[in-house]
Amino acid sequence: MPNIELTVNGTPRRAEVEGRTLLVELLRDGLGLTGTHVGCDTSQCGACVVIVAGKAVKSCTLLAVQADGESVTTIEGLASGDALHPIQAAFHEHHALQCGFCTPGMIMATVDMIERHDARLDEATIRHELEGNLCRCTGYHNIVKAIQAASDAIAASKSQGVQVDA
Ligand code: FES
Ligand code: FES
């Protein structure tokens, strides 16, 4: 079986995987990072989104071997100790979740969304960007508000020269 090396949430990891092993299976079953969820078999729900080499990917559509040598960030890698990442804090403050099953994927997609749009996000952009993430509970209204608030907070801290790690 192939041996792979990758950096997960800043820590170098090695794993022996089958060629058919999906990245989400490696994260959840191999590395115990169960914050990344599986909500569908069809690459539609976005519950499994993680950041690979700086870009949001659906980890149910990527083989683990394709992440060999790459840097991977999961929801477990966002907070700094007890301090929530600004996007996590915004989801909390704006009540952007009910069951929470979709939330890790929503938050990881937001990390990438805010990074790519180097400006404060408007509602239309956020709703368009969220087309790859499904939520069965919330109606999206508070999710959109949370993402707007997070993008405002991150833009403000950048303008003050404060670095916010993704
Ligand atoms: S589990 Fe990956 S998109 Fe649904
Ligand atoms: S909060 Fe339940 S699926 Fe989104």
Side-chain angles (χ1 to χ4, degrees), residues 96-103 106 134-138 143:
L97 58 142
Q98 289 182 26
C99 80
F101 193 84
C102 71
T103 311
M106 289 284 181
L134 301 180
C135 177
R136 295 170 58 161
C137 304
T138 68
I143 292 173

Side-chain angles (χ1 to χ4, degrees), residues 24 37-49 58-61 132:
V24 69
H37 293 162
V38 178
C40 69
D41 290 319
T42 50
S43 299
Q44 294 191 59
C45 76
C48 64
V49 171
K58 291 181 173 177
S59 59
C60 73
T61 64

Side-chain angles (χ1 to χ4, degrees), residues 2-166:
N3 278 296
I4 62 171
E5 295 182 16
L6 60 174
T7 301
V8 182
N9 298 332
T11 303
R13 307 293 297 255
R14 289 172 186 230
E16 192 175 73
V17 296
E18 294 185 47
R20 64 180 178 172
T21 301
L22 298 170
L23 178 59
V24 69
E25 294 171 335
L26 171 64
L27 293 171
R28 288 180 56 84
D29 305 333
L31 303 180
L33 296 169
T34 54
T36 302
H37 293 162
V38 178
C40 69
D41 290 319
T42 50
S43 299
Q44 294 191 59
C45 76
C48 64
V49 171
V50 299
I51 306 294
V52 178
K55 291 190 166 44
V57 301
K58 291 181 173 177
S59 59
C60 73
T61 64
L62 200 72
L63 295 169
V65 292
Q66 292 176 287
D68 189 16
E70 302 290 2
S71 169
V72 178
T73 305
T74 71
I75 190 72
E76 290 90 346
L78 284 194
S80 301
D82 289 339
L84 293 178
H85 185 281
I87 300 171
Q88 292 173 305
F91 270 65
H92 179 253
E93 281 160 23
H94 291 272
H95 310 291
L97 58 142
Q98 289 182 26
C99 80
F101 193 84
C102 71
T103 311
M106 289 284 181
I107 288 177
M108 300 315 289
T110 303
V111 169
D112 179 70
M113 188 191 309
I114 290 177
E115 181 68 28
R116 276 185 291 108
H117 294 269
D118 194 20
R120 294 178 187 197
L121 295 169
D122 59 34
E123 179 175 345
T125 303
I126 294 168
R127 288 188 180 275
H128 177 70
E129 288 277 348
L130 282 182
E131 282 180 0
N133 291 76
L134 301 180
C135 177
R136 295 170 58 161
C137 304
T138 68
Y140 300 89
H141 190 65
N142 285 3
I143 292 173
V144 172
K145 280 204 300 192
I147 295 171
Q148 268 180 322
S151 83
D152 288 351
I154 290 171
S157 36
K158 276 188 180 167
S159 71
Q160 291 165 13
V162 177
Q163 182 68 40
V164 178
D165 293 331

